Amino acid sequence: MTDYQEYLEFLYSAVETQNKKHIELSESTSLVADLGLSSLEVMEFIEKIEDHFDISIPLNILPDVNTIGDLATKVRELNL
Amino acid sequence: MLFDKFQTMAGFQAELAERKVEPFGAVTEKILSATEGLVQGRNVILAGTNNYLGLSFDPRCIKAAQDAAARWGTGTTGSRLANGSFTEHQALETEVAQFYGVDHAIVFSTGYTATMGMCATLAGPGDVILLDADSHASIYSGVKLSGAEIIRYKHNNPEDLAKRLRRLGDRASQTLIIAEGIYSMLGDVAPLQEIAAVKREYGGYLFLDEAHSMGVLGETGRGAAQAAGVEADVDFFAGTFSKSLGAVGGFCVSSHPELEAIRFCISAYIFTASSSPSIIASTREALRIVTAEPQLRERLWKNAHRLYDGLKALGLPVGPTASPVVAVEMEDRSRTIDCWEALMEAGVYVNLVIPPASPSTNFLLRNSVSAAHTSAQMDTIIAAYASLKTAGLITSTQAA
């Protein structure tokens, strides 16, 4: 089982190519408000995570995900 | 605060108004034929109407609609479950089922409610839906209402579908898999032989939306599954009457007898007025013509290849294969609007598509071909695109 921090670190690296504003990433970084990801870009990010952990992330969880930290928590739950 | 989320759209509308361009909801002042109209004061060739077989102006369909209006009145004023089931509706359901060679059919008031209603109802809480990432908005709306777990697979990617079914383990056999025959924006066809093979390996139920492929593909016009020879693997076929059949409405057919029970659980079927008898009558006639006149499909495909090859020869990015939907992908919004306007001035109406209606961040000049387009009209459409290049409005580098 991977620790929450390790999920977080992977998410930081995975989203870096979409970090067009070069802002400093933290668990409270918002995917839309801070990183400015469009809905399509969010889905591209999700696909990277799915392929890496060999999981499927249901669309149903997305309304509860605002920050990288939220996503790390959800991915960890799905990968348990 | 309530309206904050609409500011981006309001800004875009203001930009269009300032440029005096109205690509969305362009008002048609007169329809001259299945392929010509007076739009925003211009006589234009209609190259963005999904009128694939040109049946909207077929005199036999018009006559059927007129007779039905005289006999049944203008509307049913009620739901199918109340007073809105006429013998016309029942006859169309029988005929659509016969067309597909199955025993069960439901007719809906629009294509949108057919796919939305079925997707909202077939799977529920505790079930899983696997849908193609580029699915139509009606499918996304439906699955959101279903309460099921919703997972996307990569567009037209059977390997990704298989991977996701594998991850589901025992739940795979109870999963609703959703695909479309021809995808509406780029005109690409689903790899249905491969998708059907994945379904056979892992189980699940396959729901196929043939909205843009019914009347277009297959030996008798049943769609992409017939063309791929995998109809036996499809559990539910959905489609529309508003494209190749030239009217409005939708359907779902199935060999599963449970469809008759499902009918009584679909809110989009129960709580809306049924189609006007005139619409049902013209649809019945159009369905008869689709069966009786395969030459319409031949003409459609001849025109589709002609437009696809013509735009490709101009160096425009037009998608992987020829199709009755031919979309030119562009990266720049402003330039795409310029092109749309120039096409209108050249006498050609096409669809302007912006994200998220397009399947990527690209903008589309979306053309749909009809069997009713004449050779001269096809020449005019291709020449209008050539003029975009001559005017410097579009180049290989400006396109996606």
Side-chain angles (χ1 to χ4, degrees):
Chain A
M1 186 194 310
T2 312
D3 183 66
Y4 169 75
Q5 194 62 35
E6 288 180 44
Y7 285 100
L8 211 48
E9 293 300 329
F10 173 75
L11 297 193
Y12 291 154
S13 64
V15 84
E16 194 51 51
T17 54
Q18 293 172 302
N19 184 6
K20 288 164 285 192
K21 299 177 191 169
H22 303 293
I23 61 172
E24 191 172 337
L25 301 175
S26 74
E27 58 186 328
S28 63
T29 301
S30 163
L31 299 175
V32 176
D34 297 329
L35 287 169
L37 299 188
S38 67
S39 55
L40 283 168
E41 289 168 328
V42 169
M43 294 319 300
E44 286 171 12
F45 182 36
I46 294 286
E47 283 179 7
K48 276 189 216 170
I49 301 164
E50 290 178 321
D51 287 343
H52 181 81
F53 292 109
D54 194 25
I55 58 172
S56 291
I57 299 176
L59 297 185
N60 315 58
I61 69 151
L62 295 184
D64 297 328
V65 171
N66 289 316
T67 67
I68 295 178
D70 294 338
L71 191 53
T73 302
K74 293 288 184 187
V75 174
R76 183 171 178 272
E77 287 170 7
L78 287 166
N79 205 26
L80 282 177
Chain B
M1 292 287 283
L2 185 69
F3 300 142
D4 284 354
K5 54 185 170 293
F6 304 114
Q7 287 310 303
T8 304
M9 182 53 72
F12 183 40
Q13 286 179 313
E15 179 192 328
L16 293 173
E18 194 172 322
R19 294 172 63 162
K20 296 186 170 52
V21 185
E22 291 181 86
F24 303 115
V27 176
T28 300
E29 292 141 36
K30 194 173 181 185
I31 286 284
L32 304 167
S33 72
T35 57
E36 285 175 294
L38 183 67
V39 181
Q40 294 179 344
R42 293 189 183 97
N43 271 324
V44 292
I45 297 167
L46 301 170
T49 59
N50 306 315
N51 195 358
Y52 297 124
L53 301 181
L55 292 179
S56 65
F57 255 74
D58 188 284
R60 295 163 292 183
C61 296
I62 292 171
K63 174 80 167 49
Q66 288 170 332
D67 289 349
R71 183 177 174 200
W72 293 100
T74 51
T76 67
T77 70
S79 153
R80 289 292 305 278
L81 255 63
N83 60 300
S85 277
F86 294 3
T87 52
E88 286 283 312
H89 299 86
Q90 284 186 316
L92 178 56
E93 284 180 341
T94 301
E95 287 159 8
V96 175
Q98 284 171 348
F99 180 76
Y100 275 92
V102 297
D103 290 333
H104 309 282
I106 303 175
V107 163
F108 293 81
S109 299
T110 69
Y112 188 100
T113 53
T115 43
M116 187 267 283
M118 290 304 300
C119 292
T121 310
L122 279 171
D127 299 324
V128 182
I129 291 174
L130 270 170
L131 79 162
D132 185 285
D134 286 4
S135 291
H136 189 260
S138 59
I139 293 172
Y140 272 101
S141 295
V143 300
K144 275 185 198 165
L145 291 170
S146 71
E149 188 175 318
I150 308 158
I151 295 169
R152 304 189 335 162
Y153 62 90
K154 290 176 186 170
H155 174 55
N156 272 353
N157 189 326
E159 293 79 22
D160 193 57
L161 172 64
K163 191 164 64 181
R164 291 172 190 278
L165 282 164
R166 173 182 54 76
R167 288 170 185 161
L168 286 170
D170 292 343
R171 300 175 76 199
S173 62
Q174 291 301 313
T175 296
L176 182 67
I177 302 162
I178 300 175
E180 297 178 28
I182 289 180
Y183 283 83
S184 60
M185 289 295 110
L186 300 182
D188 45 342
V189 181
L192 288 176
Q193 287 181 350
E194 293 82 354
I195 287 174
V198 169
K199 183 211 155 186
R200 284 196 293 273
E201 183 178 354
Y202 290 93
Y205 296 83
L206 181 56
F207 179 93
L208 183 65
D209 182 2
E210 299 267 26
H212 289 266
S213 34
M214 180 208 194
V216 169
L217 285 172
E219 190 183 350
T220 62
R222 296 208 290 234
Q226 186 182 40
V230 296
E231 287 182 290
D233 296 292
V234 179
D235 294 279
F236 299 94
F237 294 90
T240 180
F241 304 140
S242 63
K243 295 178 172 57
S244 60
L245 301 185
V248 68
F251 68 88
C252 179
V253 303
S254 176
S255 57
H256 292 291
E258 289 83 357
L259 190 67
E260 299 304 334
I262 294 168
R263 176 197 297 269
F264 290 92
C265 303
I266 307 167
S267 292
Y269 173 84
I270 300 168
F271 298 104
T272 193
S274 60
S275 294
S276 298
S278 56
I279 290 170
I280 297 292
S282 82
T283 302
R284 291 181 64 193
E285 183 61 18
L287 192 61
R288 188 193 65 73
I289 293 169
V290 166
T291 303
E293 300 180 10
Q295 62 269 29
L296 287 174
R297 278 191 297 288
E298 289 167 24
R299 226 178 292 155
L300 168 68
W301 278 99
K302 190 178 164 198
N303 282 340
H305 281 287
R306 185 155 176 201
L307 182 61
Y308 180 82
D309 293 344
L311 299 192
K312 201 171 182 184
L314 291 171
L316 303 179
V318 285
T321 53
S323 163
V325 176
V326 184
V328 177
E329 290 195 70
M330 308 270 290
E331 288 179 346
D332 183 79
R333 184 173 82 179
S334 181
R335 187 56 65 102
T336 314
I337 295 168
D338 288 341
C339 287
W340 183 87
E341 196 176 9
L343 288 170
M344 280 291 281
E345 284 170 7
V348 178
Y349 169 81
V350 306
N351 304 127
L352 175 70
V353 182
I354 64 170
S358 62
S360 70
T361 54
N362 289 332
F363 301 82
L364 306 179
L365 295 167
R366 177 186 178 275
N367 311 272
S368 53
V369 177
S370 174
H373 280 127
T374 64
S375 183
Q377 286 175 329
M378 298 309 297
D379 286 342
T380 303
I381 297 168
I382 295 167
Y385 275 95
S387 300
L388 297 181
K389 285 193 78 176
T390 309
L393 285 171
I394 186 167
T395 67
S396 298
T397 52
Q398 280 156 351

